[in-house]
Amino acid sequence: MGLTVANIIGVPGGTYIGQAAGWRVTFTIVAALGVIGLLGVAKLVPETGRPESVSVRGEFAAFRNVQVWLAMAMTVLGYGGVFAAITYITPMMTEVAGYTEGAVTWLLVLFGVGMFLGNLLGGKFADRALMPMLFTALAALTAALLLFTATAHNKVLAAITLSVIGALGFATVPPLQKWVLDQASAAPTLASAANIGAFNLGNALAAWLGGVVIAAGLGFTAPNWVGAVLSGTALLLAFLAAHLDRRTRRASRAVTGSATAEPAPATV
């Protein structure tokens, strides 16, 4: 919830301050908030000590599971698909949709609200049917990013699509995080932390690729195509992960059935 609320308040707020007073002021405020956060953690978060059962070797053992790597790849690509477009949202909205720079702040609020709602719905439906929820969110996100290439030319449709992309992008976060925790249940701490790092890797990769296509002269809507390719690839990996999981479960049931079956009577 913290990250989604931050996107409703912090991203548009930082954009507004940067436009009004310069980016250095925004960075100064962020640094001050960081200090406040540090003091709050030091004062309010209790010391719990180190669990006796935790070991570095045990935590790294989770990475022997190919499903953990698949989940992180889905995180990089699926989440990156959102930020391929969102990184360049200001030129897309001002140069293509026709909004003023001042309107970008409110557009980012819409995006943040979409993220907030998507996070709630993603968590709710991931508890009911994890992989179907992930399939649906990634497929819809891919379609929305493709559609954004066209709707970006209309103010109203661009604003609606932007909010939908925020919702669909963050609807993938709870199922992806839960999938990693399920697959690395014996050593979830490092795997969970690494998956959060994968979100940031996806941001960086997607932003770079979006910049590449703009620099190549393909226009400010071209990052939407990049995002669609990334999220579509994540969807294919999700199908692969589900297939491997079903195969593993079938093999496990077969072994269990063989072990519990009564031996055939001996014959002379």
Side-chain angles (χ1 to χ4, degrees):
M1 295 294 291
L3 181 59
T4 54
V5 172
N7 276 276
I8 296 174
I9 300 171
V11 175
T15 301
Y16 174 78
I17 293 168
Q19 291 173 347
W23 64 267
R24 289 178 176 82
V25 176
T26 303
F27 273 58
T28 302
I29 293 173
V30 170
L33 292 173
V35 172
I36 294 171
L38 175 61
L39 295 174
V41 169
K43 178 69 175 176
L44 301 174
V45 177
E47 176 61 46
T48 58
R50 177 178 176 271
E52 294 182 2
S53 60
V54 174
S55 68
V56 174
R57 180 177 296 180
E59 290 293 328
F60 274 105
F63 293 95
R64 297 174 186 170
N65 186 350
V66 68
Q67 289 282 18
V68 174
W69 290 103
L70 280 174
M72 291 185 184
M74 286 187 280
T75 297
V76 170
L77 297 172
Y79 196 68
V82 175
F83 278 84
I86 298 307
T87 301
Y88 301 96
I89 198 63
T90 296
M92 200 183 307
M93 293 296 95
T94 56
E95 299 294 329
V96 179
Y99 282 103
T100 63
E101 284 195 3
V104 173
T105 297
W106 302 108
L107 290 168
L108 290 173
V109 170
L110 285 177
F111 175 69
V113 170
M115 293 170 69
F116 179 81
L117 295 175
N119 189 46
L120 289 177
L121 294 174
K124 179 178 180 179
F125 287 103
D127 286 337
R128 297 182 180 180
L130 192 153
M131 291 309 286
M133 174 61 204
L134 186 58
F135 296 153
T136 301
L138 286 173
L141 176 61
T142 301
L145 286 165
L146 288 173
L147 188 63
F148 200 21
T149 305
T151 60
H153 295 272
N154 179 279
K155 285 185 176 182
V156 175
L157 294 178
I160 294 172
T161 310
L162 181 63
S163 182
V164 169
I165 289 173
L168 293 172
F170 261 68
T172 66
V173 174
L176 283 172
Q177 189 73 351
K178 188 175 186 301
W179 184 253
V180 169
L181 292 174
D182 288 347
Q183 298 300 324
S185 57
T189 306
L190 184 59
S192 177
N195 197 48
I196 297 302
F199 282 109
N200 292 296
L201 177 60
N203 292 352
L205 175 65
W208 174 68
L209 290 173
V212 168
V213 294
I214 290 175
L218 299 179
F220 288 123
T221 61
N224 298 328
W225 288 98
V226 173
V229 170
L230 292 175
S231 58
T233 306
L235 177 60
L236 295 178
L237 292 180
F239 284 127
L240 174 61
H243 170 72
L244 293 177
D245 185 62
R246 286 193 297 269
R247 191 171 69 178
T248 300
R249 290 176 185 272
R250 284 197 299 266
S252 177
R253 285 195 295 267
V255 171
T256 302
S258 299
T260 57
E262 293 185 5
T267 57
V268 178

